[in-house]
Structure formats: C-alpha cells, structure tokens
Amino acid sequence: MYEMKIVAQSIIGRQSTQSSKRNLYCHNIISVTIDSIDINSLFIKVILLDEFGEVCDLVLLDGDYVKMVNSEKVFMVSRNCYKFIFNNIGIRKVGKFKLRFLLVKYGLLDKKFQEINQIDSELIEVCSSHTYAAKKKLLFPRKQ
C-alpha cells in the first residue's frame, strides 16, 4: 500500500526567471504512507501541468523537483509515514498551473522505474512581478 496526501500546497507565486528564481508562496508538503520495507528505493518527482491537466515542458519548472526518502527536507513522521517538503519550486511562466506529485519506485534488481501513485495539486496562479503583490494581498490580508 502506498497512500499519498497533500498536506499543504501553494496557491500563488511570482513568475521565476533565469536571472531571479522566485519560489512559490507556501511550501508544498506531501505525506506518503507506505507498508513496504524497501523505502530507500522510493522518490517523488514533480511534474508541471497546465490548468487543463496537460503536461508542460520541464524547463518551466525551477528548483528541486525530485526528492528521495533519504534526502534533505524529507522527514519520517511515524514508522510508515514520511513528509516530503518541496520548498523551492518556481514556475517560469505566468498562468494557472498544477503540480503532479508522482511516487516512483526504482527496482534494484531489474533497474527499472515503476510509477506507484500520483496526486495533483489544486490550481496555482503564477503572476508577473507587477501583479503579484496586489494579488497576494487579496488572498492573504494581514490581520489588523
């Protein structure tokens, strides 16, 4: 059994560029519950989708979009549960997107990758530098 759940996700971000990387606002945190002993062969790969669910070109995605169980920002919550924290993902195009988190297992004997499970985020709006601050203020007003 491999169960995936989105614990937290970004809903807005500023457009990232080659010269200035802009992380999405809020970390994307995925919880994975497994009943397998061979956890070291598992990893999560992030795939960028457009608002209609079509796969986008990988060059539009910045940051760490592959995390193995034993890598930084992966924490064991309980014996069978891990949290994968994707805290530095950026998107290089303005628009509405989704992130697909794909749980993959690498077969040590057959040397093949097997897609085990996947989960898609809700829509994320990526704004230009000019519109980002106003949009963020609307979504996250400060308490007075």
Side-chain angles (χ1 to χ4, degrees), residues 70-127:
N70 58 0
S71 65
E72 186 180 342
K73 299 290 183 189
V74 177
F75 302 97
M76 184 168 33
V77 178
S78 66
R79 188 167 189 258
N80 297 18
C81 184
Y82 294 83
K83 282 195 179 167
F84 291 74
I85 300 175
F86 293 88
N87 61 330
N88 67 346
I89 291 179
I91 300 174
R92 293 186 180 197
K93 188 175 180 183
V94 171
K96 294 183 180 180
F97 299 92
K98 293 181 180 183
L99 298 176
R100 173 168 290 159
F101 299 94
L102 189 62
L103 183 64
V104 179
K105 182 177 183 176
Y106 179 69
L108 298 175
L109 296 176
D110 61 7
K111 307 284 189 220
K112 292 184 180 176
F113 295 98
Q114 176 188 1
E115 296 177 2
I116 296 172
N117 204 345
Q118 70 183 34
I119 191 166
D120 293 352
S121 73
E122 297 296 321
L123 279 178
I124 302 165
E125 186 170 359
V126 179
C127 304

Side-chain angles (χ1 to χ4, degrees), residues 3 7 9 28 30 32 44 46-47 49 51-52 65 81 90 93 96 108-109 122 132 140 142 144:
E3 183 182 318
V7 177
Q9 79 144 76
N28 292 280
I30 310 302
V32 178
I44 291 183
V46 181
I47 298 170
L49 307 174
E51 64 184 307
F52 306 108
Y65 49 87
C81 184
K93 188 175 180 183
K96 294 183 180 180
L108 298 175
L109 296 176
E122 297 296 321
Y132 175 72
F140 304 103
R142 290 185 177 204
Q144 306 260 337

